Amino acid sequence: MPKIISISKLNYAYPAEEGKAPHPALHDVSLEIEEGEFIAILGHNGCGKSTLAKHLNGILKADSGEVTVFGMNAADEEKVLEIRKNVGMVFQNPDNQIIATVVDEDVAFALENLGVPYPEMVERVNEALEWVGMTAYRRHAPHMLSGGQKQRIAIAGILAMKPKCIVLDEPTAMLDPQGRKEVMKTLLRLNREIGVTVILITHYMDEAVQADRVVVMGEGEVVLDGTPKEVFQNVGLLHSLSLDVPQTAELMYALRQEDIKVPIAVLSVEECLDELEKQLGGIGK
Amino acid sequence: MIKDITLGQYFPGESFMHKMDPRMKLILTLFYVVSLFLVPDFWGFAIVGALMLLIIIFSGISLKVVLRGLKPLMFIILFTAFFNVLYGGGEPLFPEIGWLSWLKAEGVRNALFMIVRIILLILGTSYLTYTTSPVMLTDAMERLLRPLKAFKLPVHELAMMMTIALRFIPTLIDETDKIINAQKARGADFETGNIFRRAKALIPILIPLLISAFRRAEELADAMECRCYHGGEGRTRYKVYSFGWRDFLALALMVTVIGAIILLMIF
Amino acid sequence: MIKTENLSHLYSEGTPFQTTAIEDINIHIPKGDYVGVIGHTGSGKSTLIAHFNAILKPTSGKIFIDGQDLWSADKKTRIQTRFDVGLVFQYPEHQLFEETVYKDISFGPKNMGLPEYEIHKRVDKALDFVGLDRALLDKSPFDLSGGQKRRVAIAGVMALEPKVLILDEPAAGLDPRGRDEILSRIRDYHRETKSTVLLVSHSMEDVSRNANSILVMNKGRCVMHDSVPAVFERAEDLVGMGLDVPKITRVFISLREKGYPVSPNVYTVEQGKDELMKLLRKGGEAND
């Protein structure tokens, strides 16, 4: 798969406010992202993950280092529309990214900005609503919808631009479990079925384990980078970064400390059952 | 509580009036207001009243709703009428009753004239907002005012500001409710004390509301940028309006009414 | 401490939009209990708790706080109830408004009409409970981090020294570190003050790790109200209601279904490990 985003030695510090020192946020971050990947980025608040995300479509500009997206420098003012069309971004609070008072008009917002002609615009709005499963709500007022539905509308608004990559900054943090599942299902579908590259910033481990790749950040640096299995192997390190570990891995880790030979990176209930049955081998049955 | 206030009243529907092009409705409302001020006598009001009756019938919104809307304005209407009676000239209406000497024919006529004019004015403009959503109104205004761009009037920006304001009104009303409850839970009292005390009691609501509005604005700006917003240049529109038979019919009717009024003025 | 009798609440009563938010709730929460309130969005849990400090008036039914019938009492008693039952709303940091952290936390105690030295004492105490440094007292609350703001807001309610403290999703939107910090502070507060605490949450995991008993709301009704182990005894029913039970509970339910003699009542990693070790040791002995 071709590389679509490459970040090399990126440094960024937030400019100093009155009477305060500049606040460093990213330190020598290097990362390569391939087309079609589903990447989860983990890390506690203030570790630099949102700052990193905002570099991917030129909302923030690097102090040093370089961010290349689809062969363009992400900070290039000349190509800003081209970059944002290709790297869509969804934020945490669904209320604060919906602009219009009717669902389909909101989905059309980016297309209006890009000057897409009317017939094509209607087609793309319909298509985007279909992908997020919100067609039935096209004439609804956004503020009457649930959090999960609003967030899917926000995703549709990005999807209408036909981006190759979507970056989501904690899109599920303000949602209930139902809404979280809806959003996650939508993202997986977009990734698997139309090959959109997804970069998902999250605090929820059950979301991270569904990604192809997990990147863990701490204090402005990339600490771990690998498949979920590789990353969740490091239970001790993740604890020290005050991150959650899936409960199943946590259980395996606890058993390991009792000298029971089980693998640690066990991420699903089914897998955990298999491992436990191997150990128990019918005891007490 | 605060949600009970109906702001920017609009009653969704599928009536003749609802289906008209908002641009035409806006223009015709303007004509309607002008015609009201041209009306020379009560015959003129009869014509405009007949038109108003048609509007009411073809909007599917009952007069009851509208009359309820008139209630809070009753004071202004009566106030205007009172002053017209007071300062009207002419012969006393009841010359034999001394203490009613201030009641003069001209004054009463003027007052009635004023009452009818104001009520028709309120009715006409109300039916515009009753049958046109605020967003459509904003849209129509933007499109009609577009030529003024040549005079450096930021038409698109103003319309965008209006749209966003309309979008966030329900959100901010919800938020106000939440903040009021949260401060009540800390024993805040908004109901007792004199006016200064009460004004001061609003600070714990207004400051969080203001801060939240700023935070929302900042996040919204980022979200808009991410969706390639770069001002009004080169924008296309998702909503297309076109004049249909309803619009031309309404226009013809309005022209007839104005024609009739002008005839009344001449003869 | 809190008792309800046939408590019901309708929204928009008498209009076409009338909806039943809660229906026929009969619960009794004893003094000093730590209750987890769960249920998904729209289950009525927020409506329920808004009744406990007289912010919402029931459509029918009664609420007793400390034996006092709230709505047959006079207005003064109800205002006192606001102080006796402290309610921390979702995203409480959105209610901060004062220039300094000290002033903001003292807003509640001031409304109670307490003398200055008492206010001072309470602010100090509340600050300790939420684990914030005294150096922050003179700072603007708006200069703090997200987690710190949340804690200042919670301290603002703790400073009322309520007999009952109710928190609606106190960890919403925080990262795991912030979540653990807040929940452990609330646990300490409960232990030290021996007051009644209600924790409203979507997360079965958070509730089971902190509370002593659980109240489950579903479709406006209270469907379970029992100790944590007794509620988990019916974990399958919880799954049926669309609630997320912890992964580890699901593992143990499945093990039991497969015929292993394990307790289905497992909701922490620690319990799970103990349960498995017990079984493995038994197996070891049998082999010897």
Side-chain angles (χ1 to χ4, degrees):
Chain A
M1 279 288 177
K3 286 189 180 51
I4 54 169
I5 295 178
S6 84
I7 301 165
S8 79
K9 294 207 171 297
L10 173 63
N11 284 285
Y12 184 79
Y14 283 97
E17 277 177 52
E18 261 180 280
K20 287 177 193 155
H23 172 62
L26 294 174
H27 180 68
D28 273 349
V29 173
S30 296
L31 206 60
E32 308 253 289
I33 292 165
E34 285 177 14
E35 194 174 345
E37 276 191 298
F38 192 125
I39 302 183
I41 301 186
L42 299 176
H44 60 77
N45 285 348
C47 74
K49 20 184 227 318
S50 299
T51 312
L52 179 66
K54 285 184 177 162
H55 278 86
L56 299 181
N57 70 348
I59 297 268
L60 291 177
K61 291 178 178 47
D63 292 340
S64 72
E66 206 168 334
V67 181
T68 312
V69 293
F70 300 101
M72 296 172 277
N73 182 343
D76 188 345
E77 290 282 358
E78 304 273 293
K79 293 184 179 139
V80 71
L81 288 187
E82 195 55 30
I83 290 165
R84 289 185 183 158
K85 207 164 71 180
N86 281 301
V87 183
M89 199 166 292
V90 175
F91 297 93
Q92 191 185 84
N93 191 336
D95 272 327
N96 298 350
Q97 45 191 327
I98 293 175
I99 292 119
T101 45
V102 185
V103 165
D104 63 348
E105 286 169 27
D106 186 74
V107 175
F109 180 72
L111 303 179
E112 294 182 317
N113 293 333
L114 290 167
V116 173
Y118 178 72
E120 190 189 336
M121 187 153 24
V122 175
E123 208 172 291
R124 281 164 77 167
V125 167
N126 290 343
E127 216 176 318
L129 282 170
E130 195 63 44
W131 275 109
V132 301
M134 288 296 289
T135 306
Y137 296 89
R138 55 176 309 142
R139 294 306 294 167
H140 281 233
H143 75 270
M144 304 295 280
L145 302 176
S146 75
Q149 290 173 326
K150 281 187 221 172
Q151 205 57 295
R152 275 146 70 202
I153 296 300
I155 294 172
I158 294 299
L159 214 52
M161 298 192 287
K162 299 199 170 162
K164 296 196 184 84
C165 170
I166 300 185
V167 184
L168 304 100
D169 192 354
E170 295 189 41
T172 55
M174 298 180 77
L175 306 183
D176 60 2
Q178 174 63 31
R180 280 210 297 272
K181 271 183 216 148
E182 286 169 19
V183 168
M184 201 55 200
K185 217 174 96 193
T186 307
L187 293 178
L188 284 167
R189 187 161 168 236
L190 294 178
N191 178 255
R192 309 276 140 89
E193 290 177 31
I194 34 178
V196 178
T197 309
V198 175
I199 302 173
L200 172 70
I201 297 177
T202 183
H203 288 313
Y204 293 104
M205 297 308 130
D206 44 342
E207 291 169 11
V209 298
Q210 297 180 62
D212 304 324
R213 178 176 163 198
V214 176
V215 173
V216 179
M217 290 189 63
E219 318 310 330
E221 291 178 39
V222 172
V223 184
L224 288 168
D225 182 355
T227 62
K229 281 211 174 275
E230 288 162 1
V231 166
F232 289 116
Q233 197 79 34
N234 306 285
V235 174
L237 177 61
L238 291 168
H239 278 169
S240 75
L241 291 165
S242 0
L243 292 173
D244 280 342
V245 175
Q247 264 190 334
T248 46
E250 201 81 72
L251 178 68
M252 293 297 144
Y253 183 70
L255 290 175
R256 273 283 269 250
Q257 293 186 322
E258 299 283 340
D259 274 333
I260 309 228
K261 301 275 174 291
V262 282
I264 293 178
V266 169
L267 305 179
S268 73
V269 171
E270 294 70 33
E271 226 181 312
C272 182
L273 264 177
D274 287 348
E275 288 301 333
L276 290 179
E277 281 202 273
K278 257 187 239 161
Q279 291 302 321
L280 293 167
I283 299 175
K285 257 191 171 179
Chain B
M1 41 173 83
I2 196 161
K3 274 186 203 159
D4 299 334
I5 304 167
T6 44
L7 245 165
Q9 275 175 314
Y10 163 63
F11 300 96
E14 294 283 318
S15 72
F16 182 98
M17 285 285 290
H18 284 90
K19 283 182 181 154
M20 273 178 67
D21 189 308
R23 290 172 302 175
M24 186 57 90
K25 276 191 271 187
L26 204 62
I27 295 171
L28 293 187
T29 308
L30 216 66
F31 281 164
Y32 174 88
V33 171
V34 171
S35 73
L36 266 182
F37 284 96
L38 292 180
V39 165
D41 53 26
F42 283 102
W43 286 112
F45 281 142
I47 299 171
V48 180
L51 175 68
M52 194 61 230
L53 201 68
L54 281 177
I55 295 175
I56 293 172
I57 292 168
F58 284 101
S59 67
I61 295 163
S62 79
L63 193 62
K64 239 197 316 195
V65 175
V66 189
L67 292 180
R68 212 186 307 144
L70 277 179
K71 236 191 240 161
L73 296 164
M74 233 36 226
F75 177 73
I76 298 177
I77 296 173
L78 291 176
F79 192 74
T80 321
F82 176 70
F83 274 95
N84 270 293
V85 172
L86 215 59
Y87 294 108
E91 291 299 307
L93 216 50
F94 306 101
E96 58 275 23
I97 308 172
W99 59 274
L100 271 179
S101 64
W102 52 275
L103 203 62
K104 291 172 187 137
E106 190 76 0
V108 172
R109 190 194 163 274
N110 280 350
L112 282 176
F113 203 80
M114 265 334 253
I115 289 177
V116 177
R117 179 176 279 170
I118 294 175
I119 289 179
L120 282 174
L121 185 70
I122 294 169
L123 283 182
T125 43
S126 293
Y127 270 93
L128 172 70
T129 56
Y130 288 155
T131 60
T132 321
S133 75
V135 174
M136 281 176 117
L137 267 182
T138 313
D139 240 25
M141 258 183 260
E142 180 185 359
R143 282 166 217 235
L144 289 174
L145 294 177
R146 198 169 285 165
L148 294 182
K149 256 188 191 161
F151 301 104
K152 298 256 185 272
L153 192 74
V155 177
H156 164 76
E157 284 73 11
L158 287 173
M160 181 56 83
M161 275 159 62
M162 269 294 285
T163 310
I164 290 172
L166 290 169
R167 150 74 185 81
F168 277 90
I169 283 172
T171 309
L172 290 176
I173 287 178
D174 270 355
E175 181 134 30
T176 311
D177 249 355
K178 276 185 204 150
I179 296 171
I180 288 176
N181 279 339
Q183 306 299 26
K184 268 192 191 166
R186 292 204 281 167
D189 178 8
F190 307 116
E191 282 141 27
T192 53
N194 59 29
I195 188 145
F196 290 108
R197 246 194 86 141
R198 284 198 203 190
K200 218 182 139 209
L202 290 180
I203 292 175
I205 300 172
L206 293 180
I207 291 187
L209 200 59
L210 214 67
I211 285 169
S212 138
F214 275 118
R215 193 189 57 239
R216 286 180 192 281
E218 224 168 274
E219 289 182 30
L220 188 71
D222 270 351
M224 285 171 75
E225 263 192 66
C226 285
R227 285 161 79 183
C228 300
Y229 182 70
H230 56 283
E233 279 317 300
R235 265 189 125 224
T236 45
R237 299 307 303 262
Y238 178 65
K239 264 192 300 197
V240 279
Y241 295 115
S242 57
F243 295 127
W245 61 270
R246 290 185 187 84
D247 302 294
F248 294 116
L249 190 65
L251 180 66
L253 206 61
M254 191 73 230
V255 169
T256 316
V257 168
I258 291 188
I261 289 172
I262 290 174
L263 282 178
L264 275 177
M265 283 166 70
I266 297 171
F267 301 107
Chain C
M1 187 70 226
I2 301 179
K3 216 179 107 190
T4 69
E5 270 178 25
N6 309 93
L7 180 67
S8 299
H9 191 94
L10 303 173
Y11 280 119
S12 315
E13 201 190 355
T15 73
F17 306 107
Q18 179 174 319
T19 44
T20 308
I22 51 172
E23 203 176 353
D24 203 19
I25 309 271
N26 290 290
I27 49 170
H28 176 227
I29 294 167
K31 204 179 187 111
D33 201 1
Y34 190 148
V35 190
V37 182
I38 59 163
H40 41 74
T41 310
S43 64
K45 49 189 190 340
S46 299
T47 308
L48 179 66
I49 56 166
H51 280 91
F52 294 157
N53 75 341
I55 278 192
L56 280 184
K57 189 181 177 179
T59 312
S60 65
K62 286 180 175 166
I63 312 152
F64 299 90
I65 304 288
D66 242 352
Q68 169 73 249
D69 181 350
L70 265 192
W71 292 94
S72 70
D74 55 352
K75 202 174 168 202
K76 226 165 144 193
T77 316
R78 275 197 298 279
I79 288 182
Q80 182 56 38
T81 307
R82 299 254 163 92
F83 301 125
D84 286 343
V85 181
L87 185 47
V88 179
F89 285 91
Q90 255 183 59
Y91 300 99
E93 59 274 25
H94 293 172
Q95 74 193 29
L96 300 175
F97 71 99
E98 278 285 13
E99 292 153 65
T100 67
V101 170
Y102 178 88
K103 279 189 183 169
D104 211 287
I105 299 178
S106 59
F107 179 65
K110 239 188 207 147
N111 288 329
M112 295 172 81
L114 297 174
E116 194 57 43
Y117 70 89
E118 175 67 22
I119 294 177
H120 199 87
K121 211 175 76 191
R122 287 187 173 206
V123 172
D124 262 3
K125 223 163 132 191
L127 207 64
D128 281 342
F129 277 132
V130 297
L132 286 177
D133 196 69
R134 286 214 160 57
L136 296 179
L137 277 177
D138 293 325
K139 279 201 168 178
S140 160
F142 304 108
D143 286 343
L144 306 181
S145 75
Q148 285 175 324
K149 275 187 208 165
R150 175 84 47 103
R151 285 191 266 165
V152 169
I154 293 175
V157 176
M158 284 178 171
L160 302 171
E161 302 196 350
K163 294 178 195 158
V164 183
L165 180 68
I166 307 177
L167 303 108
D168 193 355
E169 297 269 1
L174 297 179
D175 62 357
R177 179 191 286 177
R179 178 201 63 206
D180 290 344
E181 170 87 38
I182 289 227
L183 291 178
S184 84
R185 292 289 168 186
I186 296 167
R187 214 160 43 222
D188 292 347
Y189 170 87
H190 174 248
R191 208 179 38 233
E192 281 172 42
T193 61
K194 306 209 166 30
S195 57
T196 315
V197 175
L198 271 72
L199 174 73
V200 180
S201 175
H202 283 303
S203 163
M204 266 312 246
E205 235 175 293
D206 291 350
V207 164
S208 56
R209 247 188 282 176
N210 290 284
N212 302 326
S213 61
I214 298 183
L215 198 157
V216 183
M217 294 291 294
N218 192 35
K219 295 182 183 155
R221 289 178 178 272
C222 170
V223 288
M224 295 184 205
H225 181 203
D226 219 327
S227 67
V228 175
V231 166
F232 271 93
E233 203 68 66
R234 297 170 58 188
E236 278 107 336
D237 294 345
L238 297 173
V239 177
M241 279 175 242
L243 291 170
D244 266 330
V245 299
K247 262 187 179 169
I248 197 133
T249 310
R250 299 218 314 263
V251 169
F252 278 82
I253 291 176
S254 301
L255 276 179
R256 211 178 142 82
E257 278 167 1
K258 286 182 189 272
Y260 290 96
V262 289
S263 159
N265 212 334
V266 168
Y267 39 86
T268 66
V269 169
E270 200 54 32
Q271 287 171 333
K273 189 193 88 179
D274 291 348
E275 196 70 19
L276 288 169
M277 291 312 292
K278 226 167 34 190
L279 200 59
L280 285 169
R281 277 194 202 105
K282 214 195 281 172
E285 282 160 21
N287 283 347
D288 284 343

